[in-house]
Amino acid sequence: MNKLKIAKVLSTFTNPPLICIPLFLIICITLSFTDHGFDFQKFITLEIISLVFTSILPMAIILFWAKKLGTDNDISNRSDRYMPLIVGIVSYFIGFLICYIFNLNNFLTCLLLCYSVNTGVVLLITAKWKISVHTTGLSGPNAALILLLGPIGGLIGILYPLIIWSRVLLEKHTLAQAISGGVQGYFLTVLEMYLFMKLLNLPVANLVSLGDSILYILAIIVTPIILGVLSYTRQSQTLFWACEVIAVLAFYLTTPFNVFVVFLIVSLTSVLISYFAGDDFVWFRVLNN
C-alpha cells in the first residue's frame, strides 16, 4: 500500500463522526463504572446518546449533503461546509438537552455542550478560513479522555501528527489549517468543560486537574507546532533539534513524569511520520535541510 492510499484510509477512519465511535465508546465505558462496579444499563444509555448525536446524525447529513452537491465526503469546498456544521451544532445541542433534562451524566452533558459550542467556533472560522475539522474532531474527545484518564488519554494524541500528515498529503488542508484545528479543539474543550461544570452546577469527581490537562495538551501539540513553524520559515534541522532539546528539558524538569512520557511518544511519532512521508511532506524537508 503506497503512502497516498495509507493517507486516504487514515483520513477516512478519522473523519469526525467515525472517530467519535471508538473514542466515545471509551468515554462511555469509563463513565459507567461506579462504586458498585460496571453499570451496564447506564453504559447502554450513554452510548446510544453518544452514537446518535455525535456520529449517526452528523454522518447522515454529511453523506446527504455531499451527494446533493456532487462532491466528496470531506466536502472539500469551504463554502459547502456551512450546512453540515449547522446540523452538527443542532445535533450536539439536542444531545446536551436530553442529558441535561434527564440528568443522565454530568460529564457527558458538559461534553456535548462543548461539542456544540466548538462546532459553532469552527463555523465562524470557516467563514474566512478552512480550518481542519478532522483534527478538531480528534482533539475534542481526546481532550475529554485526558480529563478522564490522564496519560492513557494523552497517548491517543499520537493520532494528531498522523492526521496532520494525511490531510496535508491529500491536499485537503494546509499545514497551518491542520495544526490549528487540533490546537483550538484541545484547549477549548478542557477550558469549556471546567467552565460548564461550574456554570451549570454539574460537578464531576476525580477528573484530571485543569492545569495537568493543559500540560498533556502541550505535550501533544508542541512538536507538531515546532515542525509547522519551521516548515513555514524554512529553517534547518539544527534549529529543530535545538528546540526539541529545550522542550525535552522543559517537560522533564517542570511536568509530571506521565506528561513527559506522552511528550516523548508524540514527538517521536511526529519525527517518524516525517521520515516515512519523505519529500512529499514539508516536515521531512525541515529534518533534512
Side-chain angles (χ1 to χ4, degrees):
M1 185 179 292
N2 63 34
K3 295 172 188 175
L4 191 61
K5 288 183 178 179
I6 293 174
K8 286 180 179 178
V9 170
L10 180 61
S11 182
T12 297
F13 284 98
T14 56
N15 193 295
L18 287 181
I19 200 170
C20 275
I21 296 174
L23 295 185
F24 267 87
L25 176 64
I26 299 171
I27 290 170
C28 292
I29 289 173
T30 304
L31 295 176
S32 299
F33 280 98
T34 68
D35 294 337
H36 305 290
F38 186 74
D39 188 334
F40 186 73
Q41 184 175 356
K42 180 179 181 181
F43 164 71
I44 293 297
T45 302
L46 299 183
E47 179 62 15
I48 289 174
I49 294 292
S50 300
L51 193 61
V52 170
F53 294 105
T54 70
S55 183
I56 293 176
L57 288 181
M59 179 57 76
I61 188 59
I62 287 172
L63 295 177
F64 169 79
W65 198 245
K67 184 176 181 181
K68 179 180 176 64
L69 297 177
T71 186
D72 58 279
N73 290 338
D74 286 326
I75 311 183
S76 298
N77 190 345
R78 176 174 58 86
S79 61
D80 292 335
R81 293 184 162 198
Y82 300 145
M83 182 57 70
L85 288 172
I86 291 171
V87 172
I89 292 169
V90 174
S91 178
Y92 305 140
F93 193 74
I94 292 173
F96 155 72
L97 288 177
I98 292 173
C99 287
Y100 185 72
I101 291 170
F102 293 99
N103 193 28
L104 296 181
N105 179 270
N106 288 356
F107 187 88
L108 186 61
T109 300
C110 293
L111 183 56
L112 288 171
L113 182 55
C114 284
Y115 253 69
S116 187
V117 172
N118 289 353
T119 306
V121 172
V122 170
L123 177 62
L124 292 175
I125 295 173
T126 299
K128 295 293 184 180
W129 199 52
K130 189 185 169 188
I131 194 168
S132 173
V133 178
H134 270 68
T135 51
T136 302
L138 165 72
S139 57
N142 190 187
L145 285 168
I146 288 172
L147 288 169
L148 287 173
L149 301 174
I152 297 174
L155 289 176
I156 294 173
I158 62 173
L159 290 173
Y160 180 51
L162 292 170
I163 296 174
I164 291 171
W165 164 70
S166 70
R167 300 304 288 168
V168 173
L169 182 65
L170 295 172
E171 299 182 347
K172 301 295 185 179
H173 290 284
T174 65
L175 185 60
Q177 291 166 348
I179 291 173
S180 299
V183 172
Q184 69 93 18
Y186 278 120
F187 281 113
L188 284 181
T189 301
V190 296
L191 293 173
E192 288 169 6
M193 283 296 292
Y194 272 95
L195 176 64
F196 294 152
M197 284 187 290
K198 183 174 183 179
L199 291 179
L200 299 175
N201 192 26
L202 296 173
V204 180
N206 302 318
L207 291 184
V208 173
S209 70
L210 178 58
D212 282 351
S213 297
I214 290 175
L215 291 178
Y216 279 114
I217 290 170
L218 290 173
I220 293 168
I221 68 174
V222 161
T223 296
I225 288 177
I226 291 173
L227 283 165
V229 171
L230 296 183
S231 297
Y232 280 104
T233 56
R234 301 180 183 276
Q235 297 297 325
S236 67
Q237 61 174 310
T238 302
L239 183 56
F240 168 74
W241 290 116
C243 291
E244 279 298 291
V245 169
I246 293 171
V248 167
L249 290 175
F251 275 96
Y252 180 74
L253 294 174
T254 65
T255 67
F257 182 71
N258 286 338
V259 173
F260 176 65
V261 170
V262 170
F263 167 74
L264 289 180
I265 292 175
V266 176
S267 296
L268 180 61
T269 302
S270 300
V271 171
L272 290 177
I273 193 63
S274 302
Y275 282 118
F276 168 79
D279 200 45
D280 291 331
F281 189 46
V282 68
W283 285 0
F284 176 83
R285 298 168 207 166
V286 172
L287 297 175
N288 286 273
N289 186 3

